[in-house]
Amino acid sequence: GENVEQHPSTLSVQEGDSAVIKCTYSDSASNYFPWYKQELGKGPQLIIDIRSNVGEKKDQRIAVTLNKTAKHFSLHITETQPEDSAVYFCAASSNDYKLSFGAGTTVTVRA
Amino acid sequence: EAEVAQSPRYKITEKSQAVAFWCDPISGHATLYWYRQILGQGPELLVQFQDESVVDDSQLPKDRFSAERLKGVDSTLKIQPAELGDSAMYLCASSLYGGAGETQYFGPGTRLLVL
């Protein structure tokens, strides 16, 4: 089955700086890569996703890049704000529709 | 905005007892998922329903776990008997059709502690 690895496990950034989270996947058939944000006491919420026919996608301060050859994808958050503090999960799925999640990155934005 | 509802939010039980969790997906969503999230890890799929039918329960420990979605709407996940290793967050999610690349919407989860 699919194996998704996520790094780093924790990330502390100064408010206004950028944060980058990287994930690798094992199944070359994977074609859908969502990113979820989980705040304390809440379920994961989708923040952005990318499909294998696209190399980069941007939504305001959040961007995701995908390198299918290397089987890795990354989340970039620019101009970080205190409300960006949360746990972020990457995930991957192929045509079996099953999402495999990374272990998560705890992001702390320091004021 | 429509949300996935789950109850209870927290449950403390003793090992060997039975526990049950309830989920009400977003109205009109045909696909319902139950995930288990161990502290410090990502969610892992336990069971997936398409309407009232199970389409994937390969990771469900069937000796103690059961899940049903009798009318194809809300769902119940049961553990009997609970073991210490079952302590985790149980998340329910739903999606419109369960198709490839479709957004899954998660509920707030039920945090289970087995003593």
Side-chain angles (χ1 to χ4, degrees):
Chain A
E2 175 67 275
N3 181 45
V4 178
E5 294 193 355
Q6 183 171 348
H7 300 281
S9 57
T10 61
L11 181 59
S12 179
V13 296
Q14 190 71 36
E15 183 177 358
D17 288 350
S18 295
V20 180
I21 304 170
K22 298 183 179 181
C23 290
T24 60
Y25 60 97
S26 60
D27 187 352
S28 56
S30 289
N31 52 23
Y32 175 61
F33 308 91
W35 286 88
Y36 283 84
K37 175 183 181 182
Q38 187 172 25
E39 297 175 335
L40 201 60
K42 298 184 179 180
Q45 302 297 313
L46 180 74
I47 55 171
I48 195 167
D49 58 15
I50 192 167
R51 288 167 172 78
S52 60
N53 57 345
V54 175
E56 183 174 357
K57 184 176 178 180
K58 192 173 182 180
D59 182 4
Q60 299 183 340
R61 297 185 297 107
I62 293 173
V64 58
T65 58
L66 171 65
N67 183 328
K68 285 222 74 181
T69 303
K71 290 191 283 188
H72 68 71
F73 56 113
S74 301
L75 178 72
H76 303 251
I77 307 173
T78 59
E79 300 172 18
T80 54
Q81 301 169 4
E83 54 264 36
D84 294 329
S85 294
V87 181
Y88 292 80
F89 292 96
C90 62
S93 75
S94 61
N95 290 330
D96 66 357
Y97 313 156
K98 193 171 177 176
L99 276 181
S100 296
F101 286 84
T105 297
T106 301
V107 174
T108 303
V109 180
R110 307 187 307 271
Chain B
E1 182 176 297
E3 295 180 341
V4 176
Q6 289 188 248
S7 67
R9 295 293 310 277
Y10 305 93
K11 180 70 178 178
I12 300 174
T13 191
E14 293 184 345
K15 63 180 182 179
S16 80
Q17 295 298 302
V19 292
F21 314 131
W22 177 81
C23 171
D24 191 13
I26 293 172
S27 178
H29 279 195
T31 310
L32 185 148
Y33 313 80
W34 282 103
Y35 287 87
R36 178 169 58 187
Q37 185 178 22
I38 295 170
L39 193 64
Q41 298 181 20
E44 292 183 295
L45 182 68
L46 291 175
V47 60
Q48 177 180 341
F49 289 93
Q50 188 69 23
D51 299 311
E52 66 276 7
S53 300
V54 173
V55 297
D56 186 348
D57 63 356
S58 57
Q59 299 304 309
L60 188 71
K62 298 180 190 63
D63 57 334
R64 298 185 300 108
F65 286 64
S66 64
E68 60 183 16
R69 194 185 183 198
L70 292 176
K71 296 183 180 179
V73 181
D74 58 339
S75 175
T76 302
L77 178 70
K78 296 179 181 177
I79 309 175
Q80 182 173 17
E83 295 181 352
L84 297 178
D86 297 331
S87 295
M89 174 81 88
Y90 291 83
L91 293 162
C92 179
S94 70
S95 66
L96 195 55
Y97 299 116
E102 198 174 74
T103 299
Q104 294 185 23
Y105 298 89
F106 283 82
T110 297
R111 184 167 292 283
L112 173 66
L113 178 61
V114 182
L115 302 176

